[in-house]
Structure formats: structure tokens, C-alpha cells
Amino acid sequence: MQVMKIIMIVIFIVVCVALSGIILLQEGKSAGLGSIAGMGESYWSKAKGRSVEGTLDKITTILAILFLIMALVLNIVW
């Protein structure tokens, strides 16, 4: 049981560091003045899911969910 806690804590730390790094890699969400006039809809905003930004968003979501689940589990087990 003690070994399982240590493994979970190590995985939790790795997820925390990875989540922090992925968040720092992302660009800001502000679209600037173009969003006021409706110019935010361009090819790049429509194809975001297939871009690097879209991939970073998906990884961020997965890591955030994993972070929350592991935090709850470690809180219950501890």
C-alpha cells in the first residue's frame, strides 16, 4: 500500500509539471481589435483543431482532468 502511494505521488508530480509546461507554451486567447468587427473568423480560427494550438488545448484539458482526479484520489487515500 505504501509503494502505491509513492507511485501515485510521483505520477501526480509529473502531471503537475507537464500541465504547467503546457500552459506556459500556449498563446494568449485575446483576438485583439479584430474580434470587435467580426474579423476573428479566419481560416486559422476555423482550422484550430488541427493546429498546434488545438493539440495543446486538448493536452491541457486531458492533463487538467487527470490532475483533478489524482488530487481527489490522493486526498481520499492519504
Side-chain angles (χ1 to χ4, degrees):
M1 188 69 171
Q2 188 68 14
V3 175
M4 187 68 147
K5 281 187 199 177
I6 293 172
I7 292 172
M8 287 181 64
I9 290 172
V10 169
I11 293 172
F12 184 68
I13 291 171
V14 169
V15 168
C16 291
V17 170
L19 185 61
S20 298
I22 293 292
I23 289 173
L24 289 174
L25 285 174
Q26 293 181 2
E27 293 181 9
K29 297 291 181 185
S30 63
L33 293 176
S35 64
I36 295 173
M39 292 185 294
E41 283 294 318
S42 66
Y43 171 75
W44 300 112
S45 63
K46 291 179 184 175
K48 184 179 177 188
R50 291 172 275 158
S51 67
V52 175
E53 290 179 32
T55 305
L56 288 176
D57 284 344
K58 291 175 188 173
I59 293 172
T60 303
T61 303
I62 292 168
L63 286 176
I65 292 169
L66 189 61
F67 171 81
L68 290 173
I69 291 171
M70 290 197 68
L72 288 172
V73 170
L74 282 172
N75 190 22
I76 292 171
V77 171
W78 195 265

